[in-house]
Amino acid sequence: MAHDLKPDQVLLLDGGLGTTLEDEHAIKFSSKTPLWSSHLLVENTNVLQTVQRDFANAGAEIILTATYQASLKGFENTKLGSDNGISRDEGSRYMVSAVKIARQAFQGRHGLVALSLGAYGASMVPSTEYSGEYGSMKEQDLVQFHRDRLNIFQASEEWNNVDLVAFETLPRLDEVVAVRRVMEPIQQKKYWISCVFPNQDERLPDGTEITSLVKAMLGGTRPPFAIGINCTKIYKVAGLIERFEDAAQSQGLALPCLVVYPDGAGDKVYDTVTQQWIGDGSAQPPWDEQMIDIVRQVRTRARWRGMIAGGCCKISPGQIAQLRRQIDSTE
């Protein structure tokens, strides 16, 4: 299992589901599809199954469910040929179905299913997980949001098929604390927390410095089995990991596993209003070469209990296959 990783071991995570659906399968997302990739749970499970199977066949050992932006409110706002949205009961069934689809990606082989639970901002239209601007939402409201969504899965038989719970792209300190509170009583599932760093500095979008962030991630009675970074420019990742390490050491905190899955968009930036990638896409070293350099650095310092590495936006099954080869060549 992932929480039994050896310090020099790396498990491979999948890549960018939504962008692969767009780039390789001509799926179009807009304001009419507020669920983003979760919309395929309703309208096109065959394509969703194909993409997740492609990631597993590329060598991914962990597949994230297609639930990153899923929420009951999002289903209620999804109009399918009428003015009526999808009911709460129907929405719950669609969300739970994502677990079975992710498990099927391995086609009977061993693999881990991670329940993808994006930040509250990922459920907003337009999404605000890169800014952390949540309006009047406070910590207790965020606890309730994440608890209500998680309860949908806990109440289903598919909960047994969830190996890990992934809280992703968190932009605010109070949301990190909120998900810690939600997971405190859920002893049977390991979870990770990954945060987003979209700005030029090494702070969360809400201004939180890494020292405070690491303390919040690792405090309490039941810290996550992994912490890390996702949906962040890859050139920033190596430095951020070192800041995480320094922050833990300065506070006498033991580091758990590391989870890292940066985007592959180069210099391009996603505009959440227009839902378009903007920028010139300047040439950079291949993404898999940058990732394997990060893996080597982490292994050399040997401060983590293991590592989960993968990709986020714009990372296709082909790129995951390249990273698989890179990792295998170093072992």
Side-chain angles (χ1 to χ4, degrees):
M1 289 293 291
H3 51 283
D4 296 323
L5 283 173
K6 299 176 182 178
D8 63 344
Q9 188 177 357
V10 180
L11 281 182
L12 185 59
L13 183 62
D14 59 11
L17 176 59
T19 52
T20 300
L21 288 165
E22 286 184 316
D23 297 342
E24 298 189 359
H25 296 271
I27 300 296
K28 303 297 182 184
F29 298 109
S30 69
S31 59
K32 296 180 181 180
T33 54
L35 297 169
W36 194 249
S37 55
S38 300
H39 191 83
L40 276 80
L41 295 169
V42 180
E43 288 205 320
N44 203 333
T45 56
N46 288 337
V47 173
L48 176 59
Q49 288 172 327
T50 295
V51 172
Q52 294 196 314
R53 185 173 62 246
D54 287 347
F55 276 119
N57 288 342
E61 296 156 294
I62 304 174
I63 297 292
L64 286 156
T65 59
T67 51
Y68 171 77
Q69 285 173 303
S71 69
L72 293 180
K73 183 177 181 181
F75 279 101
E76 289 171 354
N77 291 336
T78 297
K79 307 297 189 290
L80 297 173
S82 70
D83 291 332
N84 296 321
I86 297 171
S87 71
R88 294 178 67 87
D89 286 345
E90 287 180 298
S92 296
R93 286 195 292 272
Y94 283 128
M95 289 169 71
V96 168
S97 72
V99 178
K100 184 176 182 179
I101 292 171
R103 174 64 65 197
Q104 290 173 337
F106 294 109
Q107 299 175 287
R109 303 187 305 272
H110 176 71
L112 299 173
V113 170
L115 176 60
S116 171
L117 298 175
Y120 171 76
S123 70
M124 299 176 71
V125 179
S127 59
T128 61
E129 70 265 46
Y130 302 112
S131 68
E133 296 176 0
Y134 290 2
S136 62
M137 293 289 285
K138 304 298 182 185
E139 182 182 313
Q140 186 55 43
D141 302 313
L142 294 169
V143 168
Q144 197 62 49
F145 169 80
H146 286 287
R147 180 176 290 146
D148 288 347
R149 186 168 53 169
L150 191 60
N151 283 346
I152 293 169
F153 297 94
Q154 284 186 275
S156 74
E157 292 182 358
E158 288 297 332
W159 183 239
N160 293 327
N161 275 319
V162 173
D163 298 300
L164 307 166
V165 180
F167 292 97
E168 308 183 87
T169 329
L170 303 189
R172 295 169 39 146
L173 186 67
D174 59 354
E175 192 162 20
V176 170
V177 174
V179 300
R180 286 283 321 281
R181 289 173 58 189
V182 168
M183 291 303 296
E184 198 83 20
I186 304 175
Q187 299 293 323
Q188 73 274 34
K189 299 294 181 185
K190 300 292 182 181
Y191 71 105
W192 80 62
I193 297 174
S194 60
C195 289
V196 62
F197 294 84
N199 303 321
Q200 292 304 310
D201 58 20
E202 294 181 332
R203 300 184 181 197
L204 290 184
D206 72 348
T208 298
E209 295 184 347
I210 288 178
T211 299
S212 299
L213 172 62
V214 170
K215 181 179 181 181
M217 285 175 153
L218 298 180
T221 59
R222 191 173 177 260
F225 92 97
I227 62 173
I229 303 147
N230 78 296
C231 218
T232 296
K233 294 303 177 190
I234 193 167
Y235 69 83
K236 299 177 63 176
V237 169
L240 286 168
I241 293 171
E242 290 192 67
R243 300 293 85 74
F244 271 61
E245 292 170 356
D246 292 344
Q249 183 176 26
S250 68
Q251 299 176 86
L253 297 171
L255 285 168
C257 294
L258 171 67
V259 58
V260 177
Y261 45 123
D263 74 37
D267 291 332
K268 289 186 177 181
V269 176
Y270 188 70
D271 187 318
T272 59
V273 176
T274 65
Q275 294 189 315
Q276 299 291 325
W277 290 92
I278 57 176
D280 59 10
S282 300
Q284 294 186 6
W287 178 86
D288 62 293
E289 292 183 9
Q290 296 182 73
M291 277 298 294
I292 200 63
D293 283 343
I294 292 168
V295 170
R296 289 192 184 104
Q297 292 169 27
V298 169
R299 279 175 162 171
T300 297
R301 292 193 299 272
R303 296 183 180 180
W304 300 83
R305 293 183 60 187
M307 184 176 186
I308 296 170
C312 203
C313 302
K314 292 293 184 181
I315 296 304
S316 67
Q319 288 164 296
I320 291 298
Q322 290 174 329
L323 181 57
R324 172 81 277 163
R325 289 190 287 270
Q326 293 271 20
I327 291 173
D328 290 347
S329 69
T330 65
E331 294 181 344

